Amino acid sequence: MKFLLEVTMDEGALTEDPAGELQRILRYWGGNLKHYDMRPGDGSEIYDSAYQVVGRWTIEDQAG
């Protein structure tokens, strides 16, 4: 399996404070992962501090 985290950094709050926003996103989602089974197909949209979608994390099967 593969854990993928993709964040667009040239939009929203990430343009104003990229390091601060990434730190917040990683802290939040790191703590929130306990609510998922951590299986292929799991994932969620990622929001910045202004509640704008800036990316997504997913778990994918590496088969194939």
Side-chain angles (χ1 to χ4, degrees), residues 14-47:
L14 282 148
T15 61
E16 298 167 22
D17 183 11
E21 283 294 315
L22 283 174
Q23 288 172 350
R24 188 195 64 76
I25 287 167
L26 292 170
R27 276 193 312 270
Y28 178 82
W29 283 107
N32 199 43
L33 291 173
K34 64 186 173 203
H35 300 291
Y36 294 87
D37 292 332
M38 303 304 287
R39 294 184 181 147
D42 284 349
S44 184
E45 291 181 327
I46 296 171
Y47 298 88

